[in-house]
Amino acid sequence: MRLGSVLMVVGAALLVVGALVRFAPGLFAWFGNLPGDIRIETESSRIFIPITSMIVVSVALTIIVNLVGSFIRNR
């Protein structure tokens, strides 16, 4: 029963994030434009490595997962 609830919450969160990305793209204009994101462009190729952006996303997801985990454990 608990796993089903967690999957429903995760699915709802993904739905909300997907809707935000689709209908409010200005909210994510920072992604890929932070200092530390590597962008190499030549005439024949382009390489983009979003190091700083991925660190920010990782920290945010870690906080969210820990909050959800502590909420589930306290029930």
Side-chain angles (χ1 to χ4, degrees):
M1 180 87 165
R2 252 191 285 169
L3 179 61
S5 299
V6 171
L7 288 175
M8 288 185 352
V9 169
V10 169
L14 284 173
L15 182 68
V16 168
V17 170
L20 285 173
V21 169
R22 172 74 170 102
F23 297 113
L27 291 175
F28 298 98
W30 60 270
F31 186 78
N33 295 321
L34 294 175
D37 291 341
I38 300 171
R39 189 174 275 143
I40 302 170
E41 296 184 22
T42 64
E43 289 183 19
S44 60
S45 65
R46 284 187 259 182
I47 299 172
F48 176 61
I49 307 168
I51 294 172
T52 308
S53 296
M54 288 293 103
I55 291 172
V56 170
V57 169
S58 176
V59 169
L61 287 176
T62 300
I63 291 170
I64 291 168
V65 167
N66 284 327
L67 288 173
V68 169
S70 67
F71 177 72
I72 291 172
R73 269 182 298 211
N74 290 336
R75 283 190 137 218

